[in-house]
């Protein structure tokens, strides 16, 4: 299956970000902690090459704790400020203010020498669809400022949000890039829900997830669904369908319904904390390191 999704509004959003970047001191890039590299848009690296960068590994509560630690260490070694957080429960939010001030320390010092005091740090919040940008902004601000949703493409335009006297945020729509050079990246994005399910074959997607879980997290499927993992991915999906009552007329397993159930259990964390990629097995990694202050 070919994984690709690039609706027209993303081209407009990218143009908008290019126009606004001159107003920005730092880019806060949200990534999904389950796929921290595959959920990074290489276009954002290009846009932000002369700006301070902060990487937020959001939805860390859904990711393998050891995986989060490995990725934080990996990104910091490349010169990024990196923080793992769960913006829904505010875990990790307290550290962000300090990290932003540190990332913009040179800019703040330049302002001070010019006699410019207390100018708020202007941060652009960027990332691909469905990584939780709007939820992060609302939690950080302590009020509902941005629309939220559990589907990609909720934010369509930009909006400035004044958090306090120290920070202003520019919310931007989620953007993917026009073509995934490595389809493994597309697969991982599809698994976490950053590509609309309506254009995907969810049964194939579920089989890919089963294959991965059998290898990386053996015993997890058996524990959750009381199924045998020794068989083929199709056999496992068959057992999940029967065990969870996903049956069509004529007593045939409803693979589409069982696939949707499995994907929902993974995305919501009901299967446990799972990381789909680690620093040592990541395709298509951007070699560029973090940019400095403009």
């Amino acid at each position: 299956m070919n994984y690709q999704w690039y609706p027209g509004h993303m081209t407009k959003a990218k143009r908008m970000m290019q126009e606004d970047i001159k107003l920005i001191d730092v880019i806060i890039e949200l990534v999904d902690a389950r796929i921290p590299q595959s959920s990074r848009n290489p276009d954002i690296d290009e846009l932000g090459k002369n700006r301070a960068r902060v990487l937020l590994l959001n939805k860390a509560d859904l990711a393998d704790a050891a995986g989060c630690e490995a990725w934080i260490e990996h990104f910091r070694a490349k010169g990024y400020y990196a923080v793992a957080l769960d913006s829904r429960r505010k875990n990790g939010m307290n550290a962000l203010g300090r990290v932003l001030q540190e990332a913009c320390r040179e800019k703040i010092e330049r302002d001070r020498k010019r006699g410019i005091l207390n100018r708020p740090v202007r941060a652009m919040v960027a990332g691909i669809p469905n990584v939780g940008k709007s939820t992060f902004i609302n939690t950080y601000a302590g009020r509902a400022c941005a629309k939220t949703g559990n589907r990609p493409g909720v934010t369509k335009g930009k909006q400035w949000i004044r958090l306090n006297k120290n920070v202003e945020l520019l919310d931007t729509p989620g953007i993917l890039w026009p073509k995934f050079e490595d389809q493994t990246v597309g697969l991982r994005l599809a698994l976490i829900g950053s590509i609309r399910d309506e254009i995907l074959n969810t049964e194939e997607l579920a089989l890919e997830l089963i294959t991965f879980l059998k290898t990386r997290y053996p015993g997890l499927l058996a524990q959750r669904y009381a199924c045998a993992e020794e068989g083929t991915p199709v056999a496992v999906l068959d057992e999940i369908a029967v065990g969870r009552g996903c049956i069509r007329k004529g007593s045939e397993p409803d693979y589409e319904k069982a696939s949707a159930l499995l994907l929902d259990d993974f995305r919501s964390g009901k299967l446990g904390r799972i990381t789909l990629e680690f620093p040592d097995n990541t395709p298509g990694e951007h070699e560029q390191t973090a940019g400095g202050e403009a």
Side-chain angles (χ1 to χ4, degrees), residues 15-291:
R15 256 194 325 265
M16 188 190 307
M17 291 171 69
Q18 289 170 328
E19 294 169 359
D20 291 332
I21 197 70
K22 60 183 179 292
L23 307 173
I24 299 302
D25 302 311
V26 57
I27 294 179
I28 300 175
E29 182 182 356
L30 268 75
V31 300
D32 192 298
R34 295 165 294 182
I35 55 169
Q37 190 61 47
S38 292
S39 58
R40 294 193 63 212
N41 185 338
D43 288 344
I44 295 174
D45 264 344
E46 180 62 26
L47 286 169
K49 60 185 177 183
N50 294 317
R51 294 293 184 272
R53 304 289 299 279
V54 174
L55 280 177
L56 300 184
L57 279 67
N58 197 26
K59 305 186 182 182
D61 59 310
L62 301 177
D64 188 322
C68 281
E69 291 178 10
W71 279 110
I72 291 289
E73 182 178 340
H74 173 83
F75 286 131
R76 286 177 178 170
K78 287 185 170 290
Y80 292 94
Y81 294 89
V83 178
L85 76 155
D86 169 15
S87 56
R88 294 177 304 170
R89 297 179 178 84
K90 303 184 180 182
N91 295 337
M93 299 293 288
N94 291 338
L96 183 55
R98 296 190 300 272
V99 169
L100 283 176
Q101 293 296 309
E102 177 61 25
C104 296
R105 180 167 45 84
E106 292 181 18
K107 180 209 78 74
I108 295 170
E109 182 60 23
R110 283 200 307 271
D111 283 352
R112 188 188 65 78
K113 289 179 179 178
R114 295 169 182 167
I116 304 171
L117 302 178
N118 300 321
R119 185 174 80 81
V121 168
R122 286 189 154 189
M124 175 183 284
V125 181
I128 67 168
N130 211 35
V131 290
K133 294 186 301 299
S134 297
T135 299
F136 157 72
I137 288 171
N138 291 339
T139 301
Y140 195 29
R143 60 189 188 278
C145 304
K147 293 180 181 179
T148 62
N150 61 356
R151 66 189 191 280
V154 172
T155 303
K156 290 292 195 299
K158 68 176 181 179
Q159 56 177 327
W160 279 102
I161 299 162
R162 181 71 179 263
L163 295 187
N164 50 50
K165 65 180 182 180
N166 297 319
V167 180
E168 290 181 351
L169 295 182
L170 176 61
D171 187 17
T172 60
I175 57 170
L176 291 170
W177 50 110
K179 184 178 180 181
F180 305 138
E181 297 298 333
D182 190 316
Q183 282 296 297
T184 303
V185 171
L187 167 62
R188 290 168 177 168
L189 290 169
L191 284 170
I192 67 166
S194 288
I195 300 175
R196 288 190 181 278
D197 284 340
E198 291 84 354
I199 67 169
L200 299 170
N201 183 324
T202 54
E203 293 175 37
E204 287 188 22
L205 202 56
L207 294 176
E208 292 281 4
L209 179 60
I210 290 169
T211 300
F212 172 81
L213 293 175
K214 286 176 61 177
T215 302
R216 191 83 196 200
Y217 295 91
L220 189 151
L221 290 168
Q223 179 181 357
R224 174 71 181 174
Y225 301 110
C227 64
E229 292 188 2
E230 293 75 20
T232 65
V234 173
V236 174
L237 185 60
D238 189 287
E239 284 200 55
I240 292 173
V242 173
R244 290 305 173 98
C246 302
I247 304 297
R248 295 181 185 274
K249 289 182 179 179
S251 300
E252 291 294 321
D254 188 334
Y255 294 118
E256 183 178 356
K257 188 174 180 180
S259 297
L261 182 148
L262 175 61
L263 291 171
D264 182 67
D265 282 356
F266 162 67
R267 292 168 180 170
S268 64
K270 292 177 183 176
L271 288 179
R273 299 180 64 172
I274 296 167
T275 293
L276 296 178
E277 65 180 1
F278 293 81
D280 59 354
N281 72 340
T282 303
E285 182 170 358
H286 323 318
E287 290 302 323
Q288 182 177 339
T289 55

Side-chain angles (χ1 to χ4, degrees), residues 5-14 129 153 155-156 173-175 196:
W5 183 54
Y6 194 73
H9 75 268
M10 291 188 182
T11 301
K12 180 181 178 182
K14 181 181 175 182
T155 303
K156 290 292 195 299
I175 57 170
R196 288 190 181 278

